[in-house]
């Protein structure tokens, strides 16, 4: 009888150990799969070195860690660009530029997005150094509202945008088309520049 009891206890212990081992193996596989998934989601779209006005060149990298967040890494300091804008563009069509718009000796970083069938300019983000850290600069310009802000005539449409970085401002120009005409009838410009405190970008239509 004692031998039967001892045998039953051993079977229970062995079964329990086996179950625990299986659970640990499953947990390990889940962690490995999650790490693999995260690695697949992490994608670098642009990577450059800029002379931004510091002693050494600065490494700038544009990447995403999932379908919604677009990150700009400046010497490994990460700025989430998606906090300022709902970025839904094809990130393969993008450019990184650097220019000192506020004339403080440190260049701002521009991320330009291109898309559509013809690969035209769609939107941009600006990142500025405030003396301590890098930060995304808010902007009044909303490309989705341009048709409302620009006074169009009857049967006129906005079709294309062009981006140009001036000395201390950004110029975004549009071609205006009319029904039945192949050539653009006029261009409309949006001037974007810093406010007096140099903390925000404002847009002026002309």
């Amino acid at each position: 009888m004692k031998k039967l009891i001892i045998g039953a206890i051993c079977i229970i212990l062995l079964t329990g150990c086996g179950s625990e081992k299986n659970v640990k193996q499953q947990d390990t596989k889940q962690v490995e799969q999650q790490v693999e998934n995260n690695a697949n989601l992490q994608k670098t779209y642009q990577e450059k070195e800029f002379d931004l006005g510091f002693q050494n060149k600065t490494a700038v990298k544009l990447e995403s860690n999932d379908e919604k967040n677009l990150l700009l890494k400046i010497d490994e300091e990460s700025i989430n660009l998606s906090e300022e804008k709902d970025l839904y563009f094809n990130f393969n069509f993008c450019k990184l530029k650097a220019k000192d718009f506020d004339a403080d000796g440190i260049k701002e970083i521009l991320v330009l997005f291109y898309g559509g069938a013809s690969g035209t300019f769609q939107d941009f983000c600006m990142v500025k150094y405030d003396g301590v850290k890098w930060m995304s600069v808010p902007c009044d310009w909303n490309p989705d509202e341009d048709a409302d802000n620009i006074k169009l005539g009857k049967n006129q449409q906005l079709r294309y945008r062009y981006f140009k970085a001036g000395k201390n401002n950004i110029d975004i120009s549009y071609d205006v088309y009319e029904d039945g005409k192949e050539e653009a009838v006029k261009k409309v410009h949006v001037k974007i520049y810093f406010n007096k405190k140099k903390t925000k970008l404002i847009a002026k239509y002309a």
Side-chain angles (χ1 to χ4, degrees), residues 5-15:
I5 294 171
I6 293 170
I9 292 171
C10 289
I11 291 170
I12 292 169
L13 289 174
L14 288 172
T15 304

Side-chain angles (χ1 to χ4, degrees), residues 87-102:
L87 299 169
Y88 53 88
F89 303 104
N90 182 347
F91 298 144
N92 290 321
F93 293 90
C94 61
K95 293 180 181 178
L96 293 175
K97 289 184 177 292
K99 193 173 179 68
D100 189 6
F101 290 98
D102 58 1

Side-chain angles (χ1 to χ4, degrees), residues 56-89:
N56 300 316
K57 285 191 175 181
T58 304
V60 181
K61 185 188 296 184
L62 183 66
E63 64 181 32
S64 68
N65 57 5
D66 56 38
E67 294 180 353
K68 294 181 179 179
N69 290 326
L70 184 66
L71 307 175
L72 190 68
K73 289 191 173 179
I74 307 172
D75 279 342
E76 297 307 316
E77 180 181 346
S78 184
I79 300 99
N80 186 356
L81 300 180
S82 304
E83 291 179 351
E84 290 295 336
K85 294 191 176 186
D86 182 17
L87 299 169
Y88 53 88
F89 303 104

